[in-house]
Amino acid sequence: AAGTARLYTEDDPLVLLGSGSLKRSVSSNSSSAWLVQFYSSWCGHCIQFSSTWKALAHDVQDWDTIIHIAVVDCAQDDNFDICKEYGVSFYPTFRYFGAHASPADLGKTYRGADRGVQTLRELMINFLQNHTRLGKPDHCPPLEPFNLRDLLPLLGQKSAHYTAIIIEHPTSYVGREVILDLSKYTGIVVRRALSTDTPLVDKLKITAFPSAYLLHPNGTHTHLHLYMQLRFFFTSFLRGLQGVQRRQTKDHSAPNHMGALSEHHSTDPWREFDSSKVYMADLESALHYLLRVELATHNTLGGEELKTFKSVVTVIAKLYPGRASVQKVMENLLDWLVRLPLESIPYQAILDLVDDKMRISSLSLGAEVRWVGCQGSRPGLRGYPCSLWTLFHMLTVQYDASPKLLAGTGTEGDPAAVLNAMRGYIGTFFGCEQCGRHFEEMAAQSLDQVKTTEDAVIWLWSKHNQVNSRLAGSLSDDPVFPKSPWPSPALCPACHQEKEGVHTWNEEQVLAFLRQHYGAGNLSPRYLP
Ligand code: FAD
C-alpha cells in the first residue's frame, strides 16, 4: 500500500519480484532454482524477519547462478493478484521453485520464519539435492559425496585445475556450502567425502573432520591446515589460490569511468608485492593523481569546493605518515591556502605550488603513477581508486594513533575529521559520480554514529567491505584480485569467527589488525623512485 516502508531495496543482494516479473522469472524455463519469500510490509513478523532474510541473501550471494533469493511484497496493490494466484494467505510464506518450473507450478511451501540463517541455508541445500532431474539447476555442481573409486584416478595426475575435497561427518553441510561458494569460480573443482568412508579416509590419512585436502594441478596433493576448519576459512583459502578466478557476471559498476581513473601504463613492468604491506609508492601516486589529474578538471576552486579541498589538504598535511618531503609539499600547500584566504583560487596556482614553480622549498611531488599494491592485472583496473581507499584508511589510523596532530586546525576533537574530509572529497571531486553517490548514502546513514577515532577506523573498514561486497564479480573487479571480505583469513585469522553457522567479525581483532596494517610502521618504501 502507498506509504508503507519498503523492507527490501535494490541494494540488497536479492531479487525484488512482483506481478509483472514473478512468473517470468521463476517459471519460464529458468536455469536456476528460486527461493521466494512472499511477505507483507505491514506484518510485524515480516519486518523483524527481514534482517535474517537479508543476512541469508548476503551469505549465499555467490550461489545465485544456482539458486536465487527473492521477495514479493503482497501489500503492494500491484501484487494483490499474483499473491492470490499463488495462494498466499499468510505472511511470510516461503516457496521453493526448482529450475525449469512450469507456469502452473506454484512452488513447494515451507513455513519457518522463526529459523535462522543457518537453518535456511541448509534447507536450500536439501532442496537442491532433492529435486527431480528436470528441477536441477543447470550449473549446480555435484553435491553428493565422492568416494575412493572417484579419487584414485586423480591422485598423482596433472590437471588443468585444482581439486579440493572436504571430508566431513555425514550430518555436516560445510562441504556442500564450500562447493556452492566456489560454483562461480574457474580453476577449481570442489567435492565432498564422508568421514564414514573408511577406505578414502585411510588413504588420505585424515583423522579430524571437517578437513580439506587439495590436489594441485601439478599432480601433488596435500592436507590443508587452516587456522580454523570453518566454511569461511575453506572458501577464502580456495578462492585465493593462484589461477582460481571468479567468472564476471554482474554489471552494476561504472566500468568506463573507473577505467579512466585507474590509468595505468601497460608497458609498466610488473612489480612483485606483499599484500600484508602498504606501499608509499601507491600513496604518492594517489596524491599525484589527486592533485594533478583529478583536480585539473576544475579551473577554479571556490565556495564549498574550496572548503572541501582545504579540509582534505589539512588532514593529509597533518597526518600523512610517509616520506617527510611529501608531507612538506602538502604542508606548504596548506600554509598557502591558510595564508591567502581567497574567495576562489585558480587551479593553476595549486599546480605551481605542487610543482614548486615558486621555488619555496625545492620540494615537489613526484609526477608519475607507480602502482605497487594497487597494480591491476590489466589497464583500467585498480590503480587510483585503490590508492584513495588506502590513503584514507591510513589517515584514519594515523589520527586514531595521534589525535593531537590535528590540533589548531579547527577540526581537533572531531573523531570524524578524516571521514568528513573524505566524504567531502568523494562527493565533490572523485571522478566516479556513481561511487560518490553511493558513498554519500552510506555516510548520510551512519556517519553520525562515529563517536571516537576508533569508531572512525572501524566505520571506514566496514563501509569499504560493504562496497567490496556490492562490487564482487562486477566489471571493475579485477579477476586476479577479486573483491572479498577484507582482511582475509590469510591476513588476519583471528579477525574471523562463526556464530550460529554465520560468519562474523571479531571487531576487536579487526581494529588491532587495522592499526598494525595501516600503521606508519607497515609502510614500505620499495619501488619509490
Ligand atoms: P579496493 O577496494 O580499491 O581496496 C584497496 C585496498 O584496500 C585493497 O587492496 C586492500 O588492501 C584494502 N582493503 C580492501 N578492503 C578493505 C577494507 N574493508 N578495509 C580496509 N582496507 C581494505 N567502484 C564501483 O564500480 N562502484 C562504486 O560504487 C564504487 N564506489 C567507490 C567509493 C569510494 C569511496 C572509492 C574510493 C572507490 C569506489 N569504487 C567504486 C572503486 C572500488 O571500490 C575499488 O576501489 C576499485 O574497484 C579497485 O578495487 P581494488 O580491488 O583495487 O580494491
Side-chain angles (χ1 to χ4, degrees):
T4 45
R6 291 165 67 209
L7 295 186
Y8 302 93
T9 72
E10 278 79 11
D11 285 340
D12 297 314
L14 43 74
V15 185
L16 307 177
L17 295 176
S19 50
S21 53
L22 176 66
K23 208 161 249 188
R24 192 160 25 88
S25 304
V26 303
S27 50
S28 298
N29 208 21
S30 168
S31 62
S32 68
W34 290 78
L35 184 60
V36 183
Q37 184 200 164
F38 293 82
Y39 73 100
S40 163
S41 41
W42 49 255
C43 127
H45 195 81
C46 300
I47 297 171
Q48 271 169 26
F49 181 69
S50 62
S51 59
T52 304
W53 197 249
K54 286 181 197 184
L56 175 73
H58 270 286
D59 190 277
V60 300
Q61 68 174 324
D62 280 326
W63 303 7
D64 66 353
T65 47
I66 296 159
I67 179 163
H68 277 103
I69 301 281
V71 287
V72 176
D73 182 358
C74 294
Q76 222 175 304
D77 300 359
D78 304 352
N79 295 337
F80 287 170
D81 288 352
I82 197 81
C83 292
K84 193 163 162 221
E85 187 183 336
Y86 278 74
V88 175
S89 38
F90 299 102
Y91 311 116
T93 289
F94 302 91
R95 293 284 171 83
Y96 174 82
F97 300 85
H100 309 289
S102 79
D105 187 347
L106 302 182
K108 272 198 205 98
T109 299
Y110 167 78
R111 280 209 184 82
D114 43 354
R115 308 297 173 83
V117 171
Q118 185 171 14
T119 315
L120 289 162
R121 197 172 64 210
E122 293 175 1
L123 174 88
M124 289 167 70
I125 291 176
N126 293 343
F127 276 136
L128 285 174
Q129 271 193 293
N130 296 332
H131 43 53
T132 60
R133 205 151 54 92
L134 185 66
K136 181 178 184 293
D138 295 359
H139 304 289
C140 191
L143 299 170
E144 297 308 321
F146 194 84
N147 59 34
L148 189 63
R149 228 175 326 123
D150 303 315
L151 172 70
L152 282 178
L154 305 181
L155 286 180
Q157 292 304 309
K158 287 207 164 85
S159 162
H161 56 76
Y162 285 94
T163 301
I165 307 156
I166 311 288
I167 306 112
E168 59 182 344
H169 290 307
T171 50
S172 158
Y173 281 82
V174 172
R176 284 165 283 183
E177 288 163 358
V178 176
I179 291 173
L180 292 167
D181 285 345
L182 280 123
S183 57
K184 278 189 186 170
Y185 285 71
T186 58
I188 184 154
V189 167
V190 187
R191 295 281 182 260
R192 62 190 275 256
L194 300 184
S195 57
T196 47
D197 182 344
T198 319
L200 180 136
V201 167
D202 288 350
K203 174 82 190 162
L204 298 181
K205 300 193 179 68
I206 307 284
T207 52
F209 306 99
S211 269
Y213 206 86
L214 190 64
L215 314 184
H216 292 254
N218 67 8
T220 59
H221 43 94
T222 41
H223 185 179
L224 291 183
H225 296 281
L226 301 177
Y227 180 80
M228 283 200 262
Q229 310 306 311
L230 297 175
R231 167 190 173 199
F232 191 81
F233 281 71
F234 291 132
T235 294
S236 162
F237 178 86
L238 298 176
R239 286 180 177 174
L241 289 169
Q242 199 169 11
V244 172
Q245 291 194 2
R246 191 200 305 255
R247 273 184 228 110
Q248 291 184 336
T249 49
K250 291 187 264 168
D251 176 19
H252 44 66
S253 60
N256 293 335
H257 205 111
M258 293 310 304
L261 288 179
S262 355
E263 204 54 58
H264 166 97
H265 303 288
S266 48
T267 50
D268 270 7
W270 183 255
R271 305 182 180 100
E272 286 306 319
F273 70 95
D274 172 355
S275 55
S276 70
K277 292 256 160 242
V278 173
Y279 290 85
M280 290 186 197
D282 288 322
L283 298 175
E284 293 188 18
S285 301
L287 294 178
H288 155 70
Y289 198 97
L290 187 159
L291 290 164
R292 293 210 184 83
V293 183
E294 198 149 66
L295 212 61
T297 59
H298 299 249
N299 281 330
T300 51
L301 299 183
E304 278 305 306
E305 280 187 350
L306 184 57
K307 248 174 81 185
T308 298
F309 181 63
K310 251 188 214 168
S311 73
V312 174
V313 175
T314 304
V315 294
I316 300 175
K318 298 294 177 189
L319 301 171
Y320 186 75
R323 288 202 281 190
S325 56
V326 173
Q327 195 190 13
K328 190 80 187 112
V329 172
M330 298 307 292
E331 267 181 357
N332 290 342
L333 182 55
L334 180 62
D335 281 351
W336 179 78
L337 287 170
V338 172
R339 251 186 304 117
L340 294 174
L342 300 172
E343 292 287 297
S344 84
I345 289 181
Y347 167 70
Q348 189 57 45
I350 296 170
L351 187 63
D352 287 349
L353 230 131
V354 171
D355 290 340
D356 196 34
K357 288 269 167 52
M358 285 96 115
R359 309 232 167 268
I360 301 178
S361 61
S362 72
L363 288 173
S364 64
L365 191 69
E368 61 172 348
V369 288
R370 189 180 289 245
W371 307 121
V372 181
C374 283
Q375 276 169 116
S377 65
R378 52 185 163 78
L381 293 174
R382 309 194 74 222
Y384 179 57
C386 167
S387 66
L388 208 53
W389 279 118
T390 310
L391 175 68
F392 282 107
H393 284 299
M394 286 231 76
L395 297 179
T396 58
V397 167
Q398 203 57 23
Y399 183 42
D400 175 53
S402 320
K404 289 208 180 75
L405 291 176
L406 288 191
T409 61
T411 55
E412 62 269 33
D414 177 3
V418 173
L419 298 180
N420 286 331
M422 176 177 181
R423 177 183 187 175
Y425 186 83
I426 298 294
T428 312
F429 297 103
F430 191 43
C432 170
E433 241 185 288
Q434 193 197 3
C435 308
R437 259 200 311 277
H438 278 130
F439 193 74
E440 178 52 35
E441 269 169 35
M442 296 195 294
Q445 241 172 41
S446 60
L447 198 55
D448 60 350
Q449 287 157 24
V450 169
K451 305 286 184 224
T452 64
T453 54
E454 286 179 9
D455 290 350
V457 173
I458 287 287
W459 187 88
L460 193 58
W461 159 77
S462 135
K463 297 302 145 190
H464 190 173
N465 267 342
Q466 227 168 291
V467 175
N468 292 342
S469 141
R470 187 159 47 78
L471 298 180
S474 72
L475 288 177
S476 70
D477 195 11
D478 189 329
V480 179
F481 302 97
K483 291 188 171 53
S484 52
W486 190 96
S488 67
L491 280 177
C492 177
C495 291
H496 301 270
Q497 53 195 19
E498 213 177 68
K499 277 206 188 112
E500 291 164 20
V502 181
H503 172 264
T504 58
W505 295 97
N506 179 332
E507 282 197 8
E508 216 171 288
Q509 294 287 341
V510 170
L511 181 63
F513 175 80
L514 291 167
R515 283 177 167 152
Q516 179 275 328
H517 183 82
Y518 288 113
N522 197 37
L523 264 177
S524 167
R526 199 163 166 216
Y527 298 113
L528 281 178

